[in-house]
Amino acid sequence: KEYYLSLPEKKLVSPRMELVEILAKKCQVRNPSVYNWLKRGVPNKRVAMVNSIIEIHRESREGK
């Protein structure tokens, strides 16, 4: 029982994948769109939102 309780409750996700999923959800796009942004740059209309999401994500990761 102790070992069972020591295991993470959910599957661990890499921080990069977690960020892509968060950005996609908050910006209401699919994950491939976010990957395109990483290659080609974030569209001007999304820059402010993406920067805000990244800052929140960074702060939450530093708190861990």
Side-chain angles (χ1 to χ4, degrees):
K1 181 177 179 179
E2 289 177 31
Y3 174 69
Y4 173 81
L5 293 175
S6 72
L7 296 173
E9 287 188 39
K10 66 178 187 175
K11 182 178 172 184
L12 297 177
V13 178
S14 78
R16 289 181 180 182
M17 185 61 159
E18 177 185 51
L19 180 58
V20 167
E21 291 176 357
I22 291 169
L23 287 169
K25 184 176 180 180
K26 296 283 186 180
C27 293
Q28 298 178 345
V29 297
R30 297 178 57 168
N31 290 12
S33 296
V34 177
Y35 287 113
N36 282 334
W37 298 348
L38 293 170
K39 291 179 186 175
R40 298 185 177 100
V42 178
N44 289 337
K45 67 181 182 177
R46 305 276 189 183
V47 170
M49 179 181 283
V50 168
N51 286 339
S52 174
I53 294 166
I54 288 172
E55 187 60 33
I56 291 167
H57 188 263
R58 180 180 291 133
E59 289 173 5
S60 72
R61 301 265 329 144
E62 289 173 357
K64 289 184 178 181

